[in-house]
Amino acid sequence: MTRNAELKKAVCAEIDRRAAEITAISEEVLRHPETGWRESETAHRVRRWFDGLGLAHEDGLALTGVKARMRGRTSRRSVAVLGELDALLVDGHPYADPTTTAAHACGHNAQIASMIGAGYGLAPVMDRLDGDVVLFAVPAEECIEVDWRLRRREAGDFEFIVGKPELIRIGAFDDVDMAMMTHAGPTVSAPAAAVAASANGSLVKRAAFTGVAAHAGATPWAGANALKAATLAIAAIDAQRDTFDDADTVRVSQILTGGEAVSAVPAHAHMELMVRAGSVTAMRDAADKVDRALRAGAFALGVDVRVETVGGYLPLSVDEPLADLLHDNCVSLFGADAVIRDSGRMGGSTDMGDLGHIMPVAHPWAASGSAAPFHGPGFFTTDHVAAAVNPAKFMAMTVVDLLCEGAERAEQVLSTSGPKLSRDAYLELRRSFDTVTGGIVER
Ligand SMILES: [Zn+2]
Ligand SMILES: [Zn+2]
């Protein structure tokens, strides 16, 4: 047995020994969901689990992030294992918080458990690795509650509305060379694991339509209907769909609220939109068409529309050498038939795409036990071994590959990975997405 294989065997044996603890972490987070930027209780739990590992930690990074470093015998390179703290809002989800409707319908509970589990496995062998492992619980991956986030941003709480861009901005990834995390997925798409999938990027919009209120029965002609302007804008967006190249995997999603009382012509309508595509060029192109549609609805009804645009996520490209290592480790655990090497581009998006613009990243998927659609009330992790314990193993095994024997494989990954943006160049790109048009503020 090679030294490397011996280390991996020890790591997996330790994770198996602590499998019940890892499962309990996944279940505990599942039962206490919190949405992005407000994951204070979940962050408190992570601090407790880091304390259990005897690790010092930095707290309150981008409001709720918690970061710990496990030192190797030398610190040549640093590999981060991430877990996302946040939940979604899904009314009717069986594990929803009854007050907030927050629910782990994206399986992030398993990420926290696999991140801690990887730490459990690696802790006894750190003195045989030539690099550090950074365990990092990161905030606000889901891009939801856009209006609330933009108001928090205006109040100065953060600049970017999702977590990893904000962590990059404050320098929290400056001491990390590469990063990985495992996302739980519908079991149908990941028999055991899928190690590489690219993902769309996205731009996010808040559109405020302002018309004129009037009695809806007595003098409706005196009003200007903001809600009808918004629904017309949605029809205009839908009419654009043929103009999107299939290869760009464009998705335009929106939610709409409008009017105050049914007896009055709605003077206000508020729309949140997400415009996704596989490249920055396609994101900008689709967003321009959406802006035209929003203005068209407003023009037709003679109301005003103010459109604010900010960056959501950059498109994700997984680092191929990192994916190769993960693939080999998954195959050794599950067999080749249970592992998908490349599952293509996902129509969804993740801020792991942002991190991938400044360092090599991997974002494998693991089975969750559920075959229900993501983000809906039927999706939650039922198989915590598949979703958390197994990923703890294949991520920890990959860390061993990267950091054993002089961290040679980590050096190889860094030297073969494509060019990356500096932090400043990345921030310049992110800020280039921010625009405000129409309404009271014209820029
Ligand atoms: Zn999600
Ligand atoms: Zn997710």
Side-chain angles (χ1 to χ4, degrees), residues 84 86 88 105-108 111 141-142 181 183-184 349-350 363 365 374-375:
E84 292 163 348
D86 60 328
L88 283 157
C106 205
H108 295 187
Q111 295 181 25
E141 188 274 335
E142 301 288 354
M181 54 168 275
H183 201 299
S349 352
T350 165
H363 185 278
W365 293 78
F374 269 137
H375 287 200

Side-chain angles (χ1 to χ4, degrees), residues 218 275 326 345 411:
V275 183
L326 281 158
R345 186 190 294 153
E411 296 295 345

Side-chain angles (χ1 to χ4, degrees), residues 348-379:
S349 352
T350 165
D351 57 5
M352 205 58 176
D354 289 74
L355 202 54
H357 279 69
I358 65 164
M359 67 178 64
V361 298
H363 185 278
W365 293 78
S368 61
S370 172
F374 269 137
H375 287 200
F379 185 85

Side-chain angles (χ1 to χ4, degrees), residues 97-316:
D97 180 303
T99 309
T100 65
T101 75
H104 275 292
C106 205
H108 295 187
N109 54 298
Q111 295 181 25
I112 297 296
S114 65
M115 181 261 297
I116 302 283
Y120 288 162
L122 289 163
V125 305
M126 288 308 298
D127 61 353
R128 297 166 73 184
L129 298 180
D130 288 305
D132 294 349
V133 177
V134 172
L135 303 179
F136 204 162
V138 296
E141 188 274 335
E142 301 288 354
C143 190
I144 58 172
E145 302 179 293
V146 170
D147 185 60
W148 177 80
R149 289 185 190 200
L150 288 173
R151 285 186 275 119
R152 292 287 302 262
R153 163 183 152 122
E154 282 152 16
D157 290 342
F158 40 75
E159 176 176 350
F160 299 116
I161 63 171
V162 290
K164 294 180 195 73
E166 185 69 5
L167 289 168
I168 294 169
R169 185 184 72 79
I170 66 171
F173 282 104
D174 285 359
D175 55 2
V176 171
D177 292 306
M178 61 192 72
M180 69 180 79
M181 54 168 275
T182 301
H183 201 299
T187 298
V188 280
S189 65
V195 298
S198 57
N200 271 338
S202 72
L203 296 173
V204 175
K205 292 176 182 290
R206 172 172 67 172
F209 294 82
T210 306
V212 178
H215 194 293
T219 55
W221 50 84
N225 195 318
L227 182 59
K228 283 189 192 295
T231 56
L232 206 52
I234 291 173
I237 291 168
D238 288 339
Q240 292 283 358
R241 296 197 191 266
D242 281 354
T243 74
F244 300 134
D245 189 325
D246 290 348
D248 290 329
T249 56
V250 173
R251 309 274 192 275
V252 184
S253 322
Q254 64 272 317
I255 56 172
L256 172 65
T257 55
E260 291 84 34
V262 73
S263 57
V265 171
H268 300 284
H270 296 276
M271 204 187 294
E272 294 181 4
L273 302 102
M274 188 174 283
V275 183
R276 305 187 209 236
S279 71
V280 169
T281 303
M283 282 157 56
R284 291 193 199 274
D285 175 68
D288 286 347
K289 291 174 179 173
V290 167
D291 286 348
R292 289 209 308 261
L294 294 169
R295 288 200 299 274
F299 182 74
L301 272 294
V303 309
D304 183 54
V305 63
R306 178 182 192 270
V307 182
E308 186 170 1
T309 304
V310 297
Y313 315 94
L314 288 178
L316 171 69

